Amino acid sequence: MKGDGGKMVIKSKLKWVGLVGLVLSALSLFTHFLLARYSYTDDNLTEYQAITIFSWRPIFQNADLSPNGLPSKLHRRLWGPVRRLESLQPHAKPRQHYAVPVSESDRFIFVRIRGGFHEIRSSICDAVVIARLLNATLVIPEIQSTTSSKGISAQFKSFPYLYNEDHFMEALANDITVVKTLPKSLKGARRKKEIPSFKVVNSQSPYYYLHHVLPVLKRHSVVELVVSDGGCLQAILPPDLEEYQRLRCRVAFHALSFRQEVQELATKILHRLRAPGRPFIAYDPGMTRDALAYYGCAELFQDVHTELIQHRRLWMLKRGIVKGNLTVDSNAQRLNGSCPLMPEEIGIILRAYGYSWDTIIYISGGEVFGGQKKLIPFHAMFENVVDRTSLTTPWELNKIYGREANLVDKYPKTPPSAEQETKKDTWKTSGQRPRPLPPPPARPKSYNIEGWWGWVAESDNEPESTVIELRTNAHKLLWEAIDYMVCVEADVFVPGFDRDGKGRPSFASLVMGHRLYQSATAKSFMLDRKEIAKHMEEISDHLYEFNQTWIKSVRNHLRKSLVDGLTEEAKISKSLSFLSFPVPECACLRSKPNGASSRTSASQLPAALKVASSCPAWMGKDVISRTADKENDDDLDEDDDSGTFSLFFRQSGGSSNRNAVSNGGGRGGGEMMSSKEETQMEDQEEMEGGDR
């Protein structure tokens, strides 16, 4: 017995020793992770080693700050605010007599919205304005692509799937009355489809609602609006309805807040992007199949992607969405500025402007048509290119979807047609068969075997979406909501294309409009695609070899696009979407600290941004002082002519290796300049704080 007791004591001690060892090991690993946050490599590169469970590991070379810790001239040119727009401040509150809505209203407007992210957002803003115009109560709009029939979680559906319902109602309490559902007396009429319904086309006038919808609303107490074209009210309203434009701003930029789970994940992504302590660029390619088909850009792609674009364009032609011929000269469209800028072209002009290879770039958008191969040259020019998937884990993304049923077994990817089922039943009940037996009916073709594009050669119509595909479309709205928040908060925003598959402003236009309203001084390059295409044609034979004149020309265009591009945006986009350019209606002028008047501040703004009203006293009187910085934007550009006269691609060896990597762009590089020129450039870079 004593021997057994001794063995038990020894085993107990061994367990404690093992436990203590495990604890010490865990503490040792944790300490090691904390100490190994940064590591230094042989080629003097600093690699940020934040221990995370996602895939991104940024790599940097040198800081872009001057030795005294202040931003260098190069840093101010690349990341600094647009000083000519400093006096422009957001101001969307009512400025005239604005009556509070009637708390008890017997008129209800119910809105069903179809479309993509930017179309849904614009339609909700228009629905609020229409409810105010007709003095009606607005029922929370129903988003068709996020209803329960689309296979999404029952926890979130319709409007709350994307936006915060309670915040929406609270933020608009002084504008309209918003309710979650129709009264019980009207719910039955809706089930029986007895409610008058209007299928509203894009950009209807206020006259239409006051003279066609309002009389029906008065008779039936409720009307239903079906909006499918992205926006149901014209963008430019008469001067006497200017307060309704500001109401649009209050809805879009204050009331439409994403639900908590989406906001939390977007905030995490922003924190991870800013964790290295550097600014970042948000780039939206805008390369969707519908947009490419609408503008006839099929020949810019190869293989099956050209066929897919042409198939979609044929579908649009049959339905009158687009006019013209099926076959279009895509190169002419590109030179005319009607096609998206390719990622390779965006990468070249960013490098020409001065952004180094270790710049952090976030790629937004749910679809880059053409696949990842279109991004290979872009990745070759920039090391730290990330997107939503590389900054999150699958678990974090699944969390925002909620609990969803497993549809893999319930819904096969290619269900057999009714004709095939009839053949099988006939085969089974055909009775006694002669010999030899005839071959059994052919199996249904599987698109997984032939490729997901197999339907192109079989039918003029595209296959109907399965429940899994409908669920994925709902998920894309959440992905775009995350990208929207990241792009709005980015230090620099670069759109590759700002039109959708109907020729109207797209996701990128909404982002630029939000940035212009929220922080006008934030850099948003409003590129002239026609001008960029002209620049790219000049170096088409030697894509990665360039001279000083070409770089100065590109830099001059990008710098002017920050302010002068606003004038073009006001002409082209505002007439189609007010949210893409919400100034001057939703802005005011704040005076400068030296006592300059609002007129002096306004004189620095382009004609499209002329704001007549000064900011109210409660917003403060002074803009941020820039008196310490005497240089203007032109001076900053002239002081650094050599920022990118170096290689477009990160070097893998020493300075003697001067050939550009060619496997990403598919075109060979070459010697960029003589050794004498290069030495002069390096000396100038060293004096300016360095670009690479």
Side-chain angles (χ1 to χ4, degrees):
M1 295 295 293
K2 291 182 178 181
D4 293 341
K7 291 180 181 179
M8 294 292 292
V9 171
I10 293 173
K11 289 182 179 180
S12 178
K13 290 181 178 180
L14 288 174
K15 289 180 180 179
W16 279 106
V17 170
L19 181 61
V20 171
L22 289 174
V23 172
L24 292 176
S25 299
L27 290 175
S28 176
L29 287 172
F30 181 71
T31 305
H32 173 74
F33 288 161
L34 291 179
L35 295 177
R37 192 172 182 82
Y38 290 92
S39 65
Y40 297 89
T41 58
D42 295 337
D43 53 354
N44 198 29
L45 297 178
T46 302
E47 183 173 358
Y48 185 77
Q49 294 286 353
I51 305 303
T52 56
I53 55 178
F54 46 90
S55 60
W56 183 42
R57 294 293 184 274
I59 300 175
F60 304 118
Q61 184 175 14
N62 296 318
D64 52 358
L65 298 178
S66 58
N68 59 5
L70 297 175
S72 64
K73 291 181 179 179
L74 176 63
H75 184 278
R76 291 198 298 272
R77 179 167 64 81
L78 299 180
W79 307 103
V82 183
R83 296 175 184 173
R84 287 181 60 186
L85 304 180
E86 283 180 336
S87 58
L88 204 62
Q89 300 296 318
H91 183 37
K93 291 194 174 182
R95 302 174 195 178
Q96 303 172 3
H97 175 68
Y98 194 76
V100 178
V102 180
S103 58
E104 295 293 336
S105 175
D106 58 349
R107 303 174 186 172
F108 295 89
I109 293 180
F110 181 79
V111 185
R112 290 193 291 134
I113 301 173
R114 299 169 183 167
F117 177 86
H118 65 284
E119 294 171 321
I120 291 171
R121 196 170 181 88
S122 299
S123 299
I124 293 174
C125 297
D126 290 350
V128 172
V129 172
I130 292 168
R132 172 82 187 188
L133 182 67
L134 303 182
N135 192 25
T137 298
L138 178 67
V139 182
I140 288 287
E142 181 180 283
I143 302 174
Q144 290 293 287
S145 54
T146 59
T147 56
S148 56
S149 62
K150 304 303 186 293
I152 64 173
S153 171
Q155 184 179 358
F156 312 108
K157 59 181 179 179
S158 193
F159 190 90
Y161 187 79
L162 195 58
Y163 295 108
N164 188 326
E165 195 174 53
D166 295 330
H167 177 79
F168 180 78
M169 298 173 65
E170 182 180 352
L172 297 176
N174 294 327
D175 296 295
I176 61 170
T177 303
V178 184
V179 295
K180 293 187 177 181
T181 60
L182 287 169
K184 292 183 179 180
S185 58
L186 296 175
K187 281 184 178 180
R190 180 171 178 256
R191 292 193 194 99
K192 298 176 182 178
K193 298 183 179 181
E194 297 175 352
I195 293 179
S197 180
F198 292 86
K199 190 173 182 180
V200 187
V201 299
N202 183 269
S203 300
Q204 282 285 11
S205 66
Y207 178 89
Y208 171 82
Y209 292 99
L210 291 173
H211 293 81
H212 292 83
V213 179
L214 184 58
V216 178
L217 179 62
K218 289 180 178 179
R219 288 197 302 269
H220 296 84
S221 298
V222 60
V223 294
E224 179 184 64
L225 303 181
V226 180
V227 185
S228 57
D229 290 333
C232 49
L233 184 66
Q234 65 186 38
I236 306 299
L237 297 177
D240 59 324
L241 298 180
E242 186 173 312
E243 286 298 336
Y244 290 87
Q245 299 287 53
R246 282 188 275 276
L247 175 56
R248 274 173 162 164
C249 292
R250 291 196 293 276
V251 178
F253 308 133
H254 299 282
L256 282 179
S257 176
F258 299 113
R259 62 179 165 93
Q260 184 178 354
E261 294 82 0
V262 177
Q263 288 197 48
E264 289 176 352
L265 184 55
T267 303
K268 286 181 181 179
I269 291 176
L270 282 168
H271 286 168
R272 291 164 184 172
L273 282 167
R274 299 193 185 278
R278 293 200 171 205
F280 72 95
I281 297 174
Y283 163 47
D284 181 64
M287 293 168 57
T288 62
R289 182 180 167 219
D290 285 353
L292 293 165
Y294 184 89
Y295 288 98
C297 306
E299 295 176 1
L300 300 181
F301 294 80
Q302 297 176 350
D303 303 328
V304 71
H305 294 96
T306 299
E307 297 297 327
L308 288 169
I309 294 172
Q310 289 295 83
H311 191 277
R312 189 64 172 178
R313 183 172 176 83
L314 178 61
W315 182 88
M316 290 180 171
L317 286 168
K318 290 181 177 180
R319 286 157 180 79
I321 298 175
V322 62
K323 297 180 181 180
N325 300 322
L326 176 62
T327 303
V328 181
D329 186 349
S330 299
N331 189 54
Q333 290 289 90
R334 170 182 166 272
L335 294 177
N336 192 38
S338 299
C339 288
L341 294 172
M342 293 293 128
E344 184 178 18
E345 296 172 328
I346 293 291
I348 289 174
I349 63 173
L350 288 179
R351 292 305 308 272
Y353 192 69
Y355 292 103
S356 60
W357 61 264
D358 59 353
T359 302
I360 302 174
I361 300 181
Y362 179 88
I363 297 183
S364 73
E367 177 187 5
V368 179
F369 194 79
Q372 289 298 314
K373 72 176 183 179
K374 285 294 179 182
L375 294 174
I376 290 176
F378 194 77
H379 281 274
M381 283 181 269
F382 293 99
E383 183 72 24
N384 299 316
V385 177
V386 295
D387 59 12
R388 174 188 64 257
T389 59
S390 56
L391 292 171
T392 58
T393 63
W395 177 83
E396 288 175 324
L397 287 175
N398 290 332
K399 184 179 178 182
I400 66 174
Y401 304 151
R403 294 183 179 180
E404 296 179 331
N406 183 12
L407 301 177
V408 176
D409 299 329
K410 186 176 180 181
Y411 297 97
K413 294 184 179 180
T414 53
S417 63
E419 182 180 357
Q420 292 166 345
E421 290 290 344
T422 303
K423 288 182 178 180
K424 289 182 179 180
D425 294 339
T426 305
W427 175 263
K428 293 177 181 179
T429 60
S430 60
Q432 188 175 2
R433 303 178 179 89
R435 301 297 184 198
L437 290 174
R443 292 184 178 181
K445 292 182 179 180
S446 174
Y447 299 135
N448 293 329
I449 297 175
E450 297 185 358
W452 59 272
W453 58 84
W455 45 265
V456 172
E458 295 185 355
S459 173
D460 292 336
N461 297 321
E462 300 190 14
E464 294 183 2
S465 299
T466 64
V467 178
I468 295 179
E469 291 170 340
L470 294 174
R471 173 190 284 182
T472 302
N473 291 336
H475 290 175
K476 287 180 180 179
L477 294 178
L478 299 178
W479 302 342
E480 291 188 86
I482 293 171
D483 290 341
Y484 184 87
M485 289 187 64
V486 174
C487 290
V488 168
E489 298 296 331
D491 299 278
V492 176
F493 179 68
V494 181
F497 199 54
D498 58 356
R499 289 293 180 268
D500 63 7
K502 298 177 182 177
R504 304 190 186 107
S506 64
F507 174 91
S509 293
L510 289 192
V511 170
M512 289 190 289
H514 197 149
R515 288 171 64 88
L516 180 62
Y517 169 82
Q518 178 175 291
S519 178
T521 58
K523 273 187 166 63
S524 297
F525 290 109
M526 301 184 183
L527 304 175
D528 184 343
R529 292 184 297 275
K530 185 176 181 179
E531 188 71 18
I532 295 297
K534 178 182 176 182
H535 285 304
M536 299 307 299
E537 282 295 304
E538 294 175 2
I539 60 169
S540 59
D541 295 332
H542 41 86
L543 197 57
Y544 299 116
E545 300 174 12
F546 45 84
N547 54 41
Q548 185 174 356
T549 304
W550 186 85
I551 283 196
K552 281 188 174 181
S553 178
V554 171
R555 288 183 177 179
N556 185 56
H557 170 68
L558 264 67
R559 178 171 50 82
K560 286 185 176 180
S561 74
L562 295 171
V563 178
D564 295 344
L566 296 173
T567 303
E568 293 300 318
E569 189 71 11
K571 293 178 182 177
I572 299 173
S573 296
K574 188 168 184 176
S575 60
L576 299 174
S577 172
F578 174 77
L579 297 181
S580 66
F581 200 88
V583 293
E585 292 86 350
C586 299
C588 62
L589 288 178
R590 192 185 295 183
S591 61
K592 292 192 173 182
N594 58 5
S597 64
S598 298
R599 292 182 180 180
T600 304
S601 302
S603 64
Q604 301 177 359
L605 299 175
L609 297 175
K610 293 298 182 182
V611 181
S613 60
S614 299
C615 294
W618 57 267
M619 292 183 66
K621 297 182 179 180
D622 298 338
V623 298
I624 300 175
S625 176
R626 302 287 180 183
T627 55
D629 301 328
K630 299 297 183 183
E631 308 88 345
N632 57 30
D633 292 338
D634 295 345
D635 296 334
L636 291 177
D637 190 64
E638 293 174 358
D639 288 341
D640 177 43
D641 286 333
S642 65
T644 56
F645 288 107
S646 52
L647 296 182
F648 269 8
F649 304 100
R650 175 188 170 190
Q651 301 176 30
S652 58
S655 59
S656 60
N657 181 14
R658 298 298 181 189
N659 289 327
V661 178
S662 61
N663 60 346
R667 307 188 188 191
E671 293 294 331
M672 307 293 289
M673 61 190 76
S674 66
S675 58
K676 182 179 179 180
E677 290 175 331
E678 195 168 349
T679 302
Q680 293 175 351
M681 300 303 175
E682 289 176 353
D683 292 341
Q684 188 171 350
E685 283 183 13
E686 187 174 351
M687 289 188 298
E688 294 177 353
D691 175 34
R692 299 186 59 245

